[in-house]
Amino acid sequence: MKNNILLIIIVCSTLLGCKTKKIENRSIKLNLTVTRDYCGGAYPTAEIVAELRAAKPYNGLIYLHKSETRADDAITLNAIEGKCNVTGLADGKYYIFIAPLMQPPQNLPFTKEAMVKLECQLKHNRTPNVSFSIDKKTSKVVQNIHVVCDPCELPMP
């Protein structure tokens, strides 16, 4: 009886170990584009709006989180011409942020305005730009990142 239980434990451990290796070895290709809101002052021309709405390959760092509020450590990836690869992701939902995680400053001016702006900035910084899900069949993710105007800044005149 003890030998059977021990055998079952060994078999289960081996199977779980194999599953982990498959996740670690799995590579997901990300193909990212970017579009933007118009954040200028005067009403934009149709050409400017069309240029901002046209999806272009994203270049730069992205911060990939499993937590929607960035409560976990980020996986930092560098997208070049909209492409990057990531390995080791488990199945589930992931969130892309294009700004690094903002930490509250230690020496705050304690004015009401400063506190309101800081709270807005922290909330905006913890709002994902886009999310996607992967499962065992996922090998490629194609996603557009839409960049909105900073809600914490006053509108341009």
Side-chain angles (χ1 to χ4, degrees):
M1 184 70 171
K2 289 182 183 179
N3 288 341
N4 289 343
I5 293 173
L6 185 59
L7 182 62
I8 291 172
I9 290 172
I10 291 171
V11 170
C12 288
S13 297
T14 304
L15 291 175
L16 288 175
C18 291
K19 184 175 182 182
T20 301
K21 286 181 184 176
K22 287 181 183 175
I23 290 174
E24 288 175 4
N25 293 331
R26 175 174 61 183
S27 180
I28 308 287
K29 295 178 186 198
L30 299 178
N31 189 352
L32 306 170
T33 56
V34 64
T35 54
R36 300 181 183 278
D37 284 345
Y38 177 75
C39 302
Y43 192 76
T45 64
E47 293 82 19
I48 291 174
V49 173
E51 177 71 18
L52 292 170
R53 289 186 181 165
K56 297 172 198 63
Y58 180 79
N59 287 301
L61 296 177
I62 63 165
Y63 304 90
L64 191 61
H65 288 268
K66 187 83 172 138
S67 165
E68 185 175 11
T69 59
R70 302 180 98 170
D72 59 337
D73 291 333
I75 298 171
T76 304
L77 302 169
N78 188 19
I80 299 172
E81 290 299 315
K83 298 184 183 335
C84 58
N85 295 322
V86 61
T87 58
L89 298 184
D91 294 350
K93 192 166 188 178
Y94 290 87
Y95 301 90
I96 293 176
F97 297 82
I98 60 171
L101 179 63
M102 180 182 166
Q103 297 296 336
Q106 297 300 317
N107 300 324
L108 291 176
F110 290 102
T111 65
K112 185 177 179 179
E113 271 184 14
M115 292 301 291
V116 168
K117 184 170 183 175
L118 177 62
E119 287 175 16
C120 179
Q121 290 170 331
L122 288 170
K123 181 179 177 185
H124 182 62
N125 183 258
R126 285 162 176 75
T127 302
N129 292 93
V130 72
S131 65
F132 64 91
S133 294
I134 60 170
D135 60 27
K136 62 184 176 182
K137 296 178 182 178
T138 306
S139 62
K140 184 177 182 181
V141 173
V142 177
Q143 204 62 53
N144 182 65
I145 301 169
H146 184 75
V147 180
V148 298
C149 299
D150 185 347
C152 307
E153 294 296 323
L154 294 173
M156 298 286 255

